[in-house]
Amino acid sequence: MTRPRTNDTPVSTYRVQASRLEGEVHVSGAKNSVLRLLAASLLTSEQLQISNYPATLLDAQIHLDMLRALGKRCEVSGDTVIIDEASKPPSELVWPGRSIRNTLLILGALTARTGSGSVPLPGGCKLGDRKHDLHVMLLEALGAEVTETDTHLQAHAPNGLKGADIHLPIRSTGATENAIMCGTLARGVTTVWNPHIRPEILDLIAMLRSMGATINVFGQERIEIRGVEGLFGTRHRVIADNMEALTWLVGACLTKGDVEIHGFPIVDLEVPLIHLKESGACFFTGPKSVIVRGGTCYPVEISTGAYPGINSDMQPLFAVFGAMSRGESKIIDLRFPGRYLYAEEMALMGVDTRVEGNLLRIKGGNQLHGAEVTARDLRAGIALTLAGLVAEGETVIRDAWQVERGYDRFIDKMQALGGQVTPGW
């Protein structure tokens, strides 16, 4: 077992040696779902019990501390978090620590419930042109006045939010979630046009419905939310993390491993699985698990897009897969153009990469070698860790806390599979 980690002792480095992954692993609750569910707890004064909770995620720990700063009592027991309300939340989140992008959803929830909100400007991964203008637009459409300072984003709707048509110019996950949450307590009907329908959003909708929200989904065309006076407490189980599931699958392929992945969200990953199987991954799907028997990596050609396609978070995994193939792989990120900073770090390990506009070219087949690299964001960090498992010598990954933001009990699971990854503080 590894040393317990807290917000005060973030992991600073990983030391990675070549390893073969073998054994069984269970997929934890989804980071990209649970953070939204935590924000939704601000919409009610009643108790929420959320199970399959990924308790060791740094971003989830920070989110609970933010909720505590807003008057919530949060207790974690095993894989369950219980959230009660000690006092009605204030309109301002006073938070001196590291910010996460979920502050935008906190802003929406505070405004919907209290009539105003103020939060630190969002943090999270640096993914290029990642603005919050869609969140401003939807709050203004619902009747709020939004202002921005050098450090904070503020919204005021003293008479409450009022339902409206919200037309999203792109299928934005965060804006869809914020519009849904705000609409649950707005007067009248809120219609979100061109929403992003993906598993994590459907998970949020499922929990809000169990809290008394009236939400109807009409495919990728629109979502209609009929506002109610108040929401109730509930019990809800978080869906499995599709990024974690793909990580173990790719890791087993790269290392010629033999891994059974329990709780694998197969239905949610049909398109990425097709691409990986056609690119040489050898795996077998069962009702609730996937068995990976290594395989041979062939070049990949992918572009990212809205669900059910390959999302932007997945492309670094495909990049390291392509690096181990003989031939040229090509990746285009349509959602966050230029999200290829990890390629500069992979180049230090011997990966031949070149960026042409918004196209990343990877000439695979070279033997990778250990190097000192930096996890510039969460998904870059995990891709570099997997690369270290197939590199000669030792790979040292700086800022490894980035990985801890999004992977529950990562070191414990990796070491249980035989992965030689050692954390440092």
Side-chain angles (χ1 to χ4, degrees), residues 174-189:
T176 299
E177 292 163 338
N178 217 348
I180 292 169
M181 289 173 51
C182 289
T184 61
L185 296 181
R187 299 189 310 278
V189 177

Side-chain angles (χ1 to χ4, degrees), residues 4-321:
R5 297 179 286 280
T6 70
N7 292 344
D8 296 324
T9 56
V11 171
S12 60
T13 60
Y14 285 163
R15 294 186 175 273
V16 188
Q17 301 281 350
S19 314
R20 179 177 185 268
L21 301 187
E22 184 174 11
E24 300 181 22
V25 66
H26 292 261
V27 179
S28 296
K31 167 189 179 283
N32 287 334
S33 180
V34 75
L35 295 182
R36 282 58 174 170
L37 305 181
L38 294 179
S41 71
L42 292 166
L43 296 171
T44 181
S45 63
E46 298 187 12
Q47 185 183 93
L48 293 186
Q49 294 187 27
I50 300 175
S51 60
N52 201 30
Y53 175 71
T56 71
L57 298 190
L58 292 186
D59 280 8
Q61 293 172 3
I62 285 177
H63 206 305
L64 286 191
D65 286 342
M66 287 180 173
L67 292 180
R68 293 184 180 107
L70 290 167
K72 293 287 187 178
R73 289 190 297 264
C74 307
E75 295 184 7
V76 179
S77 178
D79 71 345
T80 300
V81 60
I82 300 175
I83 304 173
D84 285 298
E85 190 161 283
S87 59
K88 185 176 180 179
S91 295
E92 181 181 5
L93 170 61
V94 179
W95 182 251
R98 177 172 68 86
S99 180
I100 57 178
R101 191 159 181 83
N102 229 49
T103 55
L104 292 169
L105 300 189
I106 291 176
L107 176 66
L110 289 178
T111 306
R113 177 137 179 240
T114 71
S116 63
S118 176
V119 298
L121 290 174
C125 292
K126 304 300 183 184
L127 304 181
D129 191 15
R130 197 183 191 193
K131 300 177 181 178
H132 46 264
D133 54 332
L134 294 182
H135 297 263
V136 173
M137 177 272 290
L138 71 88
L139 284 168
E140 290 178 339
L142 294 170
E145 179 183 347
V146 183
T147 56
E148 181 177 340
T149 70
D150 290 340
T151 58
H152 283 71
L153 195 62
Q154 302 166 338
H156 301 279
N159 298 318
L161 297 178
K162 184 179 179 181
D165 281 357
I166 297 173
H167 296 268
L168 297 180
I170 60 172
R171 288 196 165 130
S172 163
T173 299
T176 299
E177 292 163 338
N178 217 348
I180 292 169
M181 289 173 51
C182 289
T184 61
L185 296 181
R187 299 189 310 278
V189 177
T190 298
T191 303
V192 185
W193 296 92
N194 195 37
H196 194 183
I197 304 300
R198 55 184 288 181
E200 295 85 356
I201 288 177
L202 295 177
D203 197 34
L204 172 64
I205 289 173
M207 191 182 84
L208 289 171
R209 282 173 173 165
S210 71
M211 296 168 67
T214 301
I215 305 172
N216 292 308
V217 179
F218 298 88
Q220 297 281 9
E221 182 191 41
R222 71 188 191 280
I223 299 174
E224 291 182 359
I225 310 103
R226 188 173 296 277
V228 296
E229 288 294 324
L231 297 178
F232 314 118
T234 193
R235 296 183 179 184
H236 184 78
R237 180 177 176 82
V238 186
I239 63 171
D241 194 302
N242 56 33
M243 279 300 303
E244 182 190 347
L246 274 185
T247 296
W248 298 125
L249 190 154
V250 171
C253 291
L254 297 178
T255 64
K256 310 297 183 184
D258 189 342
V259 177
E260 182 171 8
I261 309 169
H262 295 280
F264 197 106
I266 299 167
V267 175
D268 296 340
L269 291 169
E270 289 182 348
V271 173
L273 290 179
I274 290 171
H275 278 268
L276 287 169
K277 178 157 283 191
E278 292 298 317
S279 298
C282 181
F283 58 89
F284 309 90
T285 59
K288 295 183 179 179
S289 70
V290 165
I291 297 174
V292 190
R293 296 281 166 78
T296 301
C297 297
Y298 304 139
V300 297
E301 291 192 12
I302 63 167
S303 61
T304 67
Y307 181 83
I310 297 172
N311 71 41
S312 183
D313 280 352
M314 297 173 186
Q315 56 103 339
L317 294 178
F318 278 87
V320 71
F321 190 97

Side-chain angles (χ1 to χ4, degrees), residues 376-393:
R376 300 202 190 183
D377 61 54
L378 163 57
R379 307 307 174 185
I382 198 64
L384 292 170
T385 303
L386 295 186
L389 295 178
V390 291
E392 290 183 340

